[in-house]
Amino acid sequence: MNTPMSDRPLLVVRAQVDPGVMKEFELWHRSTHLPLVLRIPGIVSAFRARTGREPPGEHLMVYEFQDEEAVQSAFAS
């Protein structure tokens, strides 16, 4: 099945988190950070990227923007 690629801009953020606090970090990220980020005008989605082979403490997020103009507005917020 071919899935069409989106033309929307993406921001990929990689964080190295102490594996000892990863569960706490992920809880904060889901319950506090993501809801705030998704309220920024122009950000249309966000998701965690996983391959199942991440080294301990690896956290990779992808943020999708409505368009190029939204990227600049979001970074200014």
Side-chain angles (χ1 to χ4, degrees):
M1 175 173 148
N2 282 338
T3 303
M5 295 285 292
S6 172
D7 290 337
R8 291 183 172 166
L10 301 175
L11 171 66
V12 178
V13 178
R14 180 180 167 263
Q16 197 62 38
V17 180
D18 180 337
V21 297
M22 185 59 128
K23 286 186 189 257
E24 181 180 345
F25 172 82
E26 288 180 337
L27 177 62
W28 166 83
H29 194 269
R30 275 191 314 274
S31 63
T32 302
H33 181 69
L34 279 180
L36 292 173
V37 167
L38 291 172
R39 289 194 336 220
I40 297 171
I43 296 182
V44 296
S45 71
F47 59 91
R48 172 107 187 255
R50 295 183 186 199
T51 66
R53 297 183 185 182
E54 293 85 7
E58 180 86 4
H59 185 84
L60 188 67
M61 285 297 300
V62 179
Y63 300 91
E64 181 181 18
F65 293 86
Q66 181 66 41
D67 52 34
E68 292 289 335
E69 188 176 308
V71 174
Q72 298 308 315
S73 295
F75 281 127
S77 70

